[in-house]
């Protein structure tokens, strides 16, 4: 197998490259070369996905059996469309990593792979779907952009040659967002630790290495000869993992003497704790962790226990393996003073 990984130098892209090389595949990566380190053994091509000349030069490095696109999170649909068109003749298929945010019902409703997807034209620019200033309601800009990017690939490569993966939250070694690293750091500090919601609340994070493996498993299928593309949610099974088990794992791997103090949702809402960021992974929306991924399991996705993800991430962080610097990191975690205030309100 010969694959092209768009990205390939950090987190999911790097995990895809490492897994592909481990399988003995030939790997080309395409990135700007501004962050992360190239994986030894892969052929690195540098360029900008928004520059037509760079895309044309990249296409000349092919052909490949498949493209695995892990780096389009900040690209407008029209840029994804331009890249897909440039590569269509040089690649058998295309695996596009999208997000559950592309669904109209997320995070308010349970989801399956046939749930309605947001509007988003394949040629939209980066402003499409942005909320007008002062408007009220959910901000669907990111989801509409990703939905448009999905359509950009599908309209170019066709259903049979396109696989769309819609993960929820991806955790694991090298995570740049800062969700799991924040919880690990907080657990390591010990003391009374503000735990959000209920211990038995189901959560569905998926390990980055499992997403990478599934993306590669689908790469050979995303070819014209097989006609076996598809759309797959990529999450851990509903009900297998819980917030309590997750936080207990954080305390265990950091050898912390911390004490979990559970705060009901209504208490955290009353204190205006920012959902999803101040206490990462906590969200009151009923559909946030009700994502049906049975289609992916039937197609071969396996999800390692969350405790293993926690352990391996801590080992990497404590061994000096820091992730790529990213502005999203600073958005996660509740200030110590705010946490102390809420803990005091809860009493003993």
């Amino acid at each position: 197998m010969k694959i092209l990984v768009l990205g390939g130098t950090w987190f999911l892209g790097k995990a895809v490259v490492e897994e592909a090389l481990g399988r003995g595949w030939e790997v080309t990566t395409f990135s700007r070369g501004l962050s992360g380190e190239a994986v030894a053994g892969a052929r690195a091509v540098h360029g900008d996905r928004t520059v037509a000349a760079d895309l044309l030069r990249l296409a000349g490095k092919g052909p490949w059996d498949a493209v695995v696109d892990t780096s389009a999170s900040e690209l407008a649909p029209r840029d994804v469309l331009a890249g897909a068109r440039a590569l269509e003749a040089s690649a058998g298929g295309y695996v596009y990593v999208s997000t559950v945010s592309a669904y109209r019902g997320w995070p308010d409703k349970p989801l399956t792979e046939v749930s309605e997807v947001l509007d988003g034209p394949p040629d939209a620019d980066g402003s499409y779907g942005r909320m007008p200033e002062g408007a009220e309601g959910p901000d669907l800009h990111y989801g509409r952009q990703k939905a448009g990017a999905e359509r950009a690939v599908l309209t170019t490569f066709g259903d049979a040659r396109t696989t769309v993966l819609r993960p929820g939250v991806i955790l694991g070694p090298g995570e740049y967002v800062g969700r799991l690293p924040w919880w690990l750091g907080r657990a390591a500090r010990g003391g009374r630790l503000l735990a959000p919601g209920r211990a038995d609340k189901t959560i569905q994070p998926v390990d980055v290495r499992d997403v990478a493996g599934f993306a590669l498993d689908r790469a050979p299928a995303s070819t014209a000869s097989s006609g076996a593309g598809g759309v797959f949610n990529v999450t851990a099974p509903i009900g297998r993992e819980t917030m309590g088990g997750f936080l207990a794992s954080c305390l265990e791997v950091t050898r912390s003497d911390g004490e979990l103090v559970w705060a009901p949702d209504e208490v955290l809402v009353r204190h205006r704790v920012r959902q999803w960021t101040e206490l990462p992974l906590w969200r009151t929306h009923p559909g946030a962790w009700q994502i049906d991924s049975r289609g992916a399991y039937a197609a071969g996705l396996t999800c390692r226990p969350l405790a293993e993800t926690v352990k391996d991430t801590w080992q990497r962080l404590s061994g000096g393996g820091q992730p790529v610097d990213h502005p999203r990191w600073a958005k996660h975690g509740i200030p110590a003073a705010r946490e102390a205030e809420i803990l005091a309100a809860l009493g003993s």
Side-chain angles (χ1 to χ4, degrees), residues 197-213:
R198 305 190 322 269
D200 64 351
K201 179 67 177 287
T202 187
I203 58 175
Q204 296 179 269
V206 63
D207 192 287
V208 64
R209 295 162 294 186
D210 296 331
V211 181

PDB file of all heavy atoms in Angstrom, residues 197-213:
ATOM      1  N   GLY A 197     -20.587  16.422  37.612  1.00  0.00           N
ATOM      2  CA  GLY A 197     -21.764  15.626  37.309  1.00  0.00           C
ATOM      3  C   GLY A 197     -21.888  14.401  38.186  1.00  0.00           C
ATOM      4  O   GLY A 197     -21.867  14.476  39.410  1.00  0.00           O
ATOM      5  N   ARG A 198     -21.983  13.232  37.541  1.00  0.00           N
ATOM      6  CA  ARG A 198     -22.148  11.962  38.243  1.00  0.00           C
ATOM      7  C   ARG A 198     -21.026  11.011  37.878  1.00  0.00           C
ATOM      8  O   ARG A 198     -20.565  10.977  36.735  1.00  0.00           O
ATOM      9  CB  ARG A 198     -23.476  11.294  37.871  1.00  0.00           C
ATOM     10  CG  ARG A 198     -24.719  12.122  38.073  1.00  0.00           C
ATOM     11  CD  ARG A 198     -25.966  11.246  37.899  1.00  0.00           C
ATOM     12  NE  ARG A 198     -25.814  10.258  36.835  1.00  0.00           N
ATOM     13  CZ  ARG A 198     -26.148  10.441  35.571  1.00  0.00           C
ATOM     14  NH1 ARG A 198     -26.611  11.629  35.183  1.00  0.00           N
ATOM     15  NH2 ARG A 198     -26.001   9.481  34.676  1.00  0.00           N
ATOM     16  N   ALA A 199     -20.642  10.191  38.835  1.00  0.00           N
ATOM     17  CA  ALA A 199     -19.577   9.215  38.590  1.00  0.00           C
ATOM     18  C   ALA A 199     -19.983   8.193  37.535  1.00  0.00           C
ATOM     19  O   ALA A 199     -19.142   7.680  36.801  1.00  0.00           O
ATOM     20  CB  ALA A 199     -19.205   8.510  39.890  1.00  0.00           C
ATOM     21  N   ASP A 200     -21.283   7.900  37.443  1.00  0.00           N
ATOM     22  CA  ASP A 200     -21.731   6.866  36.519  1.00  0.00           C
ATOM     23  C   ASP A 200     -22.115   7.402  35.144  1.00  0.00           C
ATOM     24  O   ASP A 200     -22.636   6.662  34.301  1.00  0.00           O
ATOM     25  CB  ASP A 200     -22.903   6.082  37.112  1.00  0.00           C
ATOM     26  CG  ASP A 200     -24.144   6.948  37.338  1.00  0.00           C
ATOM     27  OD1 ASP A 200     -24.044   8.185  37.195  1.00  0.00           O
ATOM     28  OD2 ASP A 200     -25.207   6.377  37.667  1.00  0.00           O
ATOM     29  N   LYS A 201     -21.848   8.693  34.894  1.00  0.00           N
ATOM     30  CA  LYS A 201     -22.188   9.280  33.585  1.00  0.00           C
ATOM     31  C   LYS A 201     -21.314   8.657  32.493  1.00  0.00           C
ATOM     32  O   LYS A 201     -20.079   8.649  32.577  1.00  0.00           O
ATOM     33  CB  LYS A 201     -21.952  10.791  33.625  1.00  0.00           C
ATOM     34  CG  LYS A 201     -22.255  11.518  32.312  1.00  0.00           C
ATOM     35  CD  LYS A 201     -23.741  11.474  31.986  1.00  0.00           C
ATOM     36  CE  LYS A 201     -24.054  12.257  30.706  1.00  0.00           C
ATOM     37  NZ  LYS A 201     -23.973  13.715  30.906  1.00  0.00           N
ATOM     38  N   THR A 202     -21.952   8.132  31.465  1.00  0.00           N
ATOM     39  CA  THR A 202     -21.188   7.520  30.382  1.00  0.00           C
ATOM     40  C   THR A 202     -20.444   8.577  29.571  1.00  0.00           C
ATOM     41  O   THR A 202     -20.947   9.691  29.364  1.00  0.00           O
ATOM     42  CB  THR A 202     -22.105   6.708  29.450  1.00  0.00           C
ATOM     43  OG1 THR A 202     -21.308   5.989  28.494  1.00  0.00           O
ATOM     44  CG2 THR A 202     -23.069   7.604  28.705  1.00  0.00           C
ATOM     45  N   ILE A 203     -19.230   8.252  29.153  1.00  0.00           N
ATOM     46  CA  ILE A 203     -18.459   9.088  28.242  1.00  0.00           C
ATOM     47  C   ILE A 203     -17.901   8.186  27.149  1.00  0.00           C
ATOM     48  O   ILE A 203     -17.786   6.969  27.332  1.00  0.00           O
ATOM     49  CB  ILE A 203     -17.333   9.876  28.953  1.00  0.00           C
ATOM     50  CG1 ILE A 203     -16.365   8.919  29.668  1.00  0.00           C
ATOM     51  CG2 ILE A 203     -17.927  10.882  29.940  1.00  0.00           C
ATOM     52  CD1 ILE A 203     -15.159   9.625  30.279  1.00  0.00           C
ATOM     53  N   GLN A 204     -17.487   8.788  26.008  1.00  0.00           N
ATOM     54  CA  GLN A 204     -17.100   7.977  24.852  1.00  0.00           C
ATOM     55  C   GLN A 204     -15.810   8.421  24.160  1.00  0.00           C
ATOM     56  O   GLN A 204     -15.715   8.322  22.941  1.00  0.00           O
ATOM     57  CB  GLN A 204     -18.221   7.975  23.810  1.00  0.00           C
ATOM     58  CG  GLN A 204     -19.514   7.330  24.242  1.00  0.00           C
ATOM     59  CD  GLN A 204     -20.548   7.415  23.140  1.00  0.00           C
ATOM     60  OE1 GLN A 204     -21.319   8.368  23.072  1.00  0.00           O
ATOM     61  NE2 GLN A 204     -20.543   6.439  22.252  1.00  0.00           N
ATOM     62  N   PRO A 205     -14.806   8.896  24.882  1.00  0.00           N
ATOM     63  CA  PRO A 205     -13.571   9.245  24.172  1.00  0.00           C
ATOM     64  C   PRO A 205     -12.967   8.016  23.488  1.00  0.00           C
ATOM     65  O   PRO A 205     -13.102   6.883  23.964  1.00  0.00           O
ATOM     66  CB  PRO A 205     -12.650   9.748  25.293  1.00  0.00           C
ATOM     67  CG  PRO A 205     -13.549  10.094  26.421  1.00  0.00           C
ATOM     68  CD  PRO A 205     -14.695   9.142  26.319  1.00  0.00           C
ATOM     69  N   VAL A 206     -12.272   8.265  22.394  1.00  0.00           N
ATOM     70  CA  VAL A 206     -11.622   7.189  21.652  1.00  0.00           C
ATOM     71  C   VAL A 206     -10.131   7.473  21.588  1.00  0.00           C
ATOM     72  O   VAL A 206      -9.709   8.634  21.515  1.00  0.00           O
ATOM     73  CB  VAL A 206     -12.243   7.051  20.235  1.00  0.00           C
ATOM     74  CG1 VAL A 206     -12.028   8.317  19.413  1.00  0.00           C
ATOM     75  CG2 VAL A 206     -11.703   5.832  19.505  1.00  0.00           C
ATOM     76  N   ASP A 207      -9.326   6.436  21.648  1.00  0.00           N
ATOM     77  CA  ASP A 207      -7.879   6.585  21.612  1.00  0.00           C
ATOM     78  C   ASP A 207      -7.414   6.941  20.205  1.00  0.00           C
ATOM     79  O   ASP A 207      -7.885   6.376  19.210  1.00  0.00           O
ATOM     80  CB  ASP A 207      -7.207   5.276  22.064  1.00  0.00           C
ATOM     81  CG  ASP A 207      -5.723   5.432  22.329  1.00  0.00           C
ATOM     82  OD1 ASP A 207      -4.948   5.565  21.345  1.00  0.00           O
ATOM     83  OD2 ASP A 207      -5.323   5.416  23.502  1.00  0.00           O
ATOM     84  N   VAL A 208      -6.465   7.873  20.120  1.00  0.00           N
ATOM     85  CA  VAL A 208      -5.952   8.333  18.831  1.00  0.00           C
ATOM     86  C   VAL A 208      -5.398   7.177  18.012  1.00  0.00           C
ATOM     87  O   VAL A 208      -5.528   7.144  16.776  1.00  0.00           O
ATOM     88  CB  VAL A 208      -4.887   9.432  19.038  1.00  0.00           C
ATOM     89  CG1 VAL A 208      -3.661   8.899  19.782  1.00  0.00           C
ATOM     90  CG2 VAL A 208      -4.478  10.059  17.717  1.00  0.00           C
ATOM     91  N   ARG A 209      -4.796   6.203  18.667  1.00  0.00           N
ATOM     92  CA  ARG A 209      -4.200   5.074  17.941  1.00  0.00           C
ATOM     93  C   ARG A 209      -5.272   4.165  17.344  1.00  0.00           C
ATOM     94  O   ARG A 209      -5.067   3.562  16.283  1.00  0.00           O
ATOM     95  CB  ARG A 209      -3.282   4.290  18.881  1.00  0.00           C
ATOM     96  CG  ARG A 209      -2.070   5.115  19.340  1.00  0.00           C
ATOM     97  CD  ARG A 209      -1.400   4.545  20.574  1.00  0.00           C
ATOM     98  NE  ARG A 209      -2.285   4.628  21.746  1.00  0.00           N
ATOM     99  CZ  ARG A 209      -1.907   4.306  22.980  1.00  0.00           C
ATOM    100  NH1 ARG A 209      -0.668   3.863  23.193  1.00  0.00           N
ATOM    101  NH2 ARG A 209      -2.752   4.398  24.000  1.00  0.00           N
ATOM    102  N   ASP A 210      -6.426   4.106  17.999  1.00  0.00           N
ATOM    103  CA  ASP A 210      -7.521   3.299  17.451  1.00  0.00           C
ATOM    104  C   ASP A 210      -8.166   3.988  16.254  1.00  0.00           C
ATOM    105  O   ASP A 210      -8.567   3.323  15.292  1.00  0.00           O
ATOM    106  CB  ASP A 210      -8.559   3.031  18.543  1.00  0.00           C
ATOM    107  CG  ASP A 210      -7.993   2.198  19.684  1.00  0.00           C
ATOM    108  OD1 ASP A 210      -7.078   1.397  19.434  1.00  0.00           O
ATOM    109  OD2 ASP A 210      -8.444   2.367  20.834  1.00  0.00           O
ATOM    110  N   VAL A 211      -8.270   5.318  16.307  1.00  0.00           N
ATOM    111  CA  VAL A 211      -8.766   6.060  15.140  1.00  0.00           C
ATOM    112  C   VAL A 211      -7.812   5.873  13.963  1.00  0.00           C
ATOM    113  O   VAL A 211      -8.235   5.638  12.827  1.00  0.00           O
ATOM    114  CB  VAL A 211      -8.930   7.548  15.465  1.00  0.00           C
ATOM    115  CG1 VAL A 211      -9.464   8.309  14.235  1.00  0.00           C
ATOM    116  CG2 VAL A 211      -9.865   7.756  16.647  1.00  0.00           C
ATOM    117  N   ALA A 212      -6.513   5.972  14.245  1.00  0.00           N
ATOM    118  CA  ALA A 212      -5.515   5.815  13.186  1.00  0.00           C
ATOM    119  C   ALA A 212      -5.594   4.438  12.543  1.00  0.00           C
ATOM    120  O   ALA A 212      -5.571   4.305  11.308  1.00  0.00           O
ATOM    121  CB  ALA A 212      -4.114   6.051  13.752  1.00  0.00           C
ATOM    122  N   GLY A 213      -5.699   3.412  13.381  1.00  0.00           N
ATOM    123  CA  GLY A 213      -5.771   2.062  12.842  1.00  0.00           C
ATOM    124  C   GLY A 213      -7.006   1.847  11.989  1.00  0.00           C
ATOM    125  O   GLY A 213      -6.944   1.227  10.919  1.00  0.00           O
TER     126      GLY A 213
END
